Amino acid sequence: MIKTVSREQLRSVRKRLTLLYGSDAEKLLQRFVMMIGRYGVGDAPVLTDSKWSEHDSILITYADTLSDPEAGSPLNALTQFANRHFKGAIRTIHLLPFCPWSSDDGFSVIDYRAVDPACGNWSEVERLSQDFQLMFDVVLNHCSAKSSWFKDYVAGIEPARHYFLPMDPKGDYTQVVRPRTSPLLTETRTRDGISHIWTTFSADQVDLNWQNPEVLFEFIDIIFLYISKGMRVARLDAVAFLWKTLGTDCLHRPETHEVVKLFRDILEVVAPEVLLLTETNVPHAENVSYFGGGDEAHMVYQFSLPPLTLHALATGNARYLTQWATDLAPPPEGCTFFNFTASHDGVGMRPLEGLLPQEEKDKLIQHVQAAGAKINWRTMPDGSQAPYELNITFYSALEIAGDPELSAQRFLCSQALSLSLRGIPGIYFHSLTATPNYTEGVEATGHNRRINRRKWERNELLQHIGEGPAKLVFSRYLKMLRRRSDHPAFHPDAEQIIYDIDPELFVHSRISQQGDEIIFCIYNFTDKEKTITNPASSELLRRTKSFYDIIGSRTYGSGKKGIRLAPYQVMWLVPRY
């Protein structure tokens, strides 16, 4: 098997290991080489023409979002529902954490190598992978306080007794960036006495000690297992917090970037078809730093897109969204953006830093609070609290009382935008189904994020998407996805141009890599009719005789009167000559 690994690949892995673990690097490299082939990973050559295409889109869902007694497990219910409704529209399904867990709806993992029996089993995961590519979460920063690893730490059992971070409670932690208001250190009674353990997110989510290479190799093994079960995208959860160095903010440490680059190198050796996606809910410049020089993550979330889109549609002012998109630098070669508007978490406020003035942020907060949102907070270095995320379903955030048709159109305007921008679109299950705020979940659990994490029974869901605005959203959303996949101008690597035409419109074009297709994407962000003339004045467009709207299946002339858009209307226009 060693013969299949190039010297250059081994050199790169050795370099990363040396930067992280110093003189132990050579021993660790040999240990990695001995792991190749575990679970069958790396045994067979992989033939891939391209990492992605215009056919790619990713559905974000919990494994137990849907239940059906006739299907047996929730995983089987999801497989049946997806095969019936999503073929030709969705290529990849992101299964949010489905391992046994103790809190945070799966992100406090008890056993990384098992499937929660309440969701199903590994064979059912593999069955889903036969019809759809899969994304799994790799929860790197922390594990459950109820895990065997942490129990071994408490009992002083090797090797896990060194997997965690006991700290001096009298130390200076003022520089540490906090995403929560809970205490950073949690007092724990162990065999050796009282320890104060680093817990970034909650007392039940215990941070792991990545300075110990044993933790690294646990996760190499876990990733190999996931690949063998059908994982084609690895989402590195909360990766920005991975490496702790006192006296710093403990965020985006150079060693953290080296860990991501090391995983990239390892995948290039054993499974080059598998992509890395980093989850870093931080300001934009910090977020895109995880591209590295094209040698780190294949994809990063567009965390600024959801709040900017929501603000633009809430205020009817797309100026800030247009400015951000204009300034957006293309990703490095071999990398792309993951465009989304909603996920299992709330709409982050930190990604708006430097993009919206405070008065505009206040408008956004007031808008979503009027729509039933809850607010999660974080602790600032001076001890004060600031909004961290807005907890609300994206549909409820854009719903217009008493007007289901206009509500659907306004919401679909937001969703079409994320489908047309350069990158790969991510679609949250509850956006696809226009799920309203699930306030019952918040009241039952006390957790604000439950507002956007409803669990559906199959017949209940079918009734929901069979009537009212949800019916409009579900059918039109899937239609947009299928039509999008027919156009190479929507390839993730296709060129993108932003046009600053009107502050109430968002306009951009996509140009296929071969240069044989151009699509103009036009969004009316207001509740009034708007008219647009030729969206650009290039020589090419001066020869345009008409435009065909992919979404509306209608042809428009290119005369001086321009094209009229209804309130919140979207057009994807293909020029005809």
Side-chain angles (χ1 to χ4, degrees):
M1 189 64 217
I2 296 178
K3 293 181 180 179
T4 66
V5 184
S6 72
R7 290 183 179 179
E8 183 178 352
Q9 288 174 323
L10 288 180
R11 208 164 27 241
S12 186
V13 173
R14 181 187 290 110
K15 173 187 173 183
R16 310 291 182 208
L17 290 170
T18 300
L19 288 168
L20 290 167
Y21 303 112
S23 59
D24 289 335
E26 193 61 38
K27 177 178 63 177
L28 298 174
L29 177 66
Q30 294 306 314
R31 183 174 173 182
F32 161 67
V33 170
M34 294 297 291
M35 290 180 69
I36 297 174
R38 186 175 293 188
Y39 308 110
V41 173
D43 282 348
V46 177
L47 303 176
T48 54
D49 296 328
S50 176
K51 288 183 172 69
W52 42 64
S53 77
E54 61 271 19
H55 301 289
D56 279 294
S57 58
I58 301 175
L59 179 75
I60 307 164
T61 183
Y62 282 98
D64 63 348
T65 292
L66 193 61
S67 63
D68 179 2
E70 295 182 6
S73 72
L75 273 167
N76 277 341
L78 176 62
T79 299
Q80 293 174 12
F81 189 85
N83 275 308
R84 177 180 175 184
H85 296 284
F86 301 154
K87 285 295 186 71
I90 300 291
R91 174 172 280 189
T92 301
I93 294 179
H94 172 197
L95 289 177
L96 289 158
F98 51 82
C99 299
W101 55 279
S102 56
S103 63
D104 199 17
D105 285 341
F107 285 92
S108 183
V109 180
I110 292 175
D111 184 354
Y112 289 87
R113 296 177 174 89
V115 176
D116 186 345
C119 294
N121 55 49
W122 277 122
S123 65
E124 291 165 347
V125 173
E126 292 177 276
R127 170 67 184 86
L128 181 60
S129 75
Q130 294 173 13
D131 301 307
F132 297 89
Q133 295 182 357
L134 299 181
M135 181 197 296
F136 293 172
D137 281 274
V138 184
V139 185
L140 297 168
N141 180 72
H142 51 263
C143 69
S144 170
K146 296 177 176 59
S147 67
S148 62
W149 290 352
F150 194 65
K151 290 178 180 178
D152 284 353
Y153 166 78
V154 170
I157 299 173
E158 296 286 356
R161 66 177 300 183
H162 303 296
Y163 280 15
F164 302 95
L165 293 160
M167 305 300 294
D168 181 357
K170 298 179 181 179
D172 182 4
Y173 303 94
T174 54
Q175 294 186 55
V176 177
V177 170
R178 299 304 324 282
R180 299 288 186 273
T181 56
S182 57
L184 178 64
L185 304 182
T186 297
E187 184 176 300
T188 304
R189 184 176 299 278
T190 75
R191 187 187 69 175
D192 299 323
I194 297 296
S195 286
H196 295 83
I197 305 299
W198 196 301
T199 51
T200 296
F201 292 95
S202 77
D204 187 50
Q205 293 169 288
V206 192
D207 286 48
L208 290 157
N209 177 17
W210 279 84
Q211 297 182 37
N212 179 357
E214 293 298 326
V215 171
L216 168 69
F217 277 88
E218 287 277 15
F219 278 96
I220 293 175
D221 181 81
I222 289 164
I223 288 173
F224 282 14
L225 171 66
Y226 289 178
I227 293 170
S228 76
K229 300 299 184 182
M231 181 182 74
R232 291 298 171 264
V233 184
R235 177 186 182 270
L236 304 185
D237 176 69
V239 67
F241 299 92
L242 204 66
W243 201 278
K244 282 75 173 175
T245 303
L246 278 188
T248 74
D249 59 8
C250 298
L251 193 70
H252 316 308
R253 301 305 304 154
E255 295 89 348
T256 296
H257 286 281
E258 285 300 322
V259 171
V260 180
K261 291 175 182 179
L262 175 59
F263 281 133
R264 173 79 172 259
D265 287 342
I266 288 171
L267 290 176
E268 289 296 329
V269 172
V270 301
E273 77 281 9
V274 176
L275 306 178
L276 283 180
L277 169 64
T278 49
E279 187 264 336
T280 53
N281 191 357
V282 292
H284 180 75
E286 299 173 36
N287 183 39
V288 297
S289 72
Y290 284 85
F291 281 139
D295 58 349
E296 203 163 335
H298 297 95
M299 292 192 290
V300 301
Y301 278 80
Q302 284 277 40
F303 273 111
S304 298
L305 179 60
L308 283 173
T309 301
L310 192 54
H311 170 268
L313 282 163
T315 62
N317 179 8
R319 179 162 62 95
Y320 298 101
L321 177 65
T322 296
Q323 186 61 58
W324 167 77
T326 300
D327 295 341
L328 190 63
E333 184 178 354
C335 300
T336 196
F337 297 113
F338 183 61
N339 297 320
F340 77 114
T341 57
S343 72
H344 59 292
D345 289 338
V347 177
M349 292 297 289
R350 288 210 66 204
L352 287 178
E353 292 177 16
L355 302 177
L356 274 187
Q358 187 58 50
E359 61 268 24
E360 296 298 327
K361 293 180 187 177
D362 292 340
K363 289 179 186 178
L364 175 58
I365 292 172
Q366 291 166 11
H367 171 85
V368 298
Q369 284 181 320
K374 307 294 182 181
I375 309 295
N376 274 345
W377 304 81
R378 69 186 184 103
T379 300
M380 304 297 286
D382 63 0
S384 65
Q385 294 187 358
Y388 179 71
E389 66 178 10
L390 315 175
N391 297 113
I392 189 169
T393 73
F394 221 76
Y395 177 78
S396 286
L398 294 172
E399 186 175 16
I400 299 170
D403 197 332
E405 174 67 36
L406 198 58
S407 294
Q409 188 60 42
R410 189 191 203 190
F411 175 71
L412 286 168
C413 182
S414 72
Q415 302 307 290
L417 176 61
S418 68
L419 300 187
S420 67
L421 291 173
R422 174 167 40 200
I424 295 175
I427 302 101
Y428 190 40
F429 191 95
H430 292 301
S431 293
L432 189 58
T433 58
T435 304
N437 288 337
Y438 183 49
T439 55
E440 299 93 329
V442 178
E443 293 167 359
T445 64
H447 298 301
N448 289 344
R449 287 178 168 179
R450 282 288 178 91
I451 201 168
N452 197 24
R453 297 179 179 180
R454 181 170 184 166
K455 309 297 182 185
W456 287 105
E457 193 277 322
R458 176 182 174 276
N459 290 334
E460 180 187 29
L461 177 60
L462 290 177
Q463 181 178 352
H464 172 71
I465 61 175
E467 58 190 20
K471 180 179 181 179
L472 298 175
V473 169
F474 191 72
S475 60
R476 293 178 188 177
Y477 208 144
L478 291 174
K479 178 181 176 182
M480 284 195 304
L481 282 163
R482 291 188 171 98
R483 292 193 174 180
R484 175 189 180 277
S485 68
D486 291 332
H487 294 274
F490 288 129
H491 189 288
D493 298 334
E495 184 181 357
Q496 175 171 284
I497 301 173
I498 308 297
Y499 304 96
D500 190 358
I501 292 174
D502 183 321
E504 296 181 329
L505 300 175
F506 184 83
V507 182
H508 73 98
S509 64
R510 300 294 307 281
I511 305 170
S512 65
Q513 292 173 289
Q514 292 72 32
D516 56 355
E517 183 181 57
I518 182 170
I519 298 176
F520 288 91
C521 305
I522 305 171
Y523 300 85
N524 181 2
F525 274 38
T526 74
D527 59 358
K528 59 189 177 184
E529 288 189 349
K530 297 286 293 184
T531 300
I532 185 169
T533 55
N534 246 353
S537 59
S538 69
E539 185 65 33
L540 176 69
L541 286 177
R542 279 197 286 270
R543 295 185 288 107
T544 302
K545 295 180 179 178
S546 64
F547 293 96
Y548 177 73
D549 179 19
I550 296 168
I551 292 179
S553 301
R554 180 178 171 184
T555 299
Y556 295 88
S558 60
K560 293 182 180 180
K561 291 184 178 180
I563 299 171
R564 183 178 297 175
L565 290 92
Y568 303 115
Q569 186 174 357
V570 177
M571 291 183 181
W572 292 346
L573 299 177
V574 178
R576 289 181 170 172
Y577 311 107

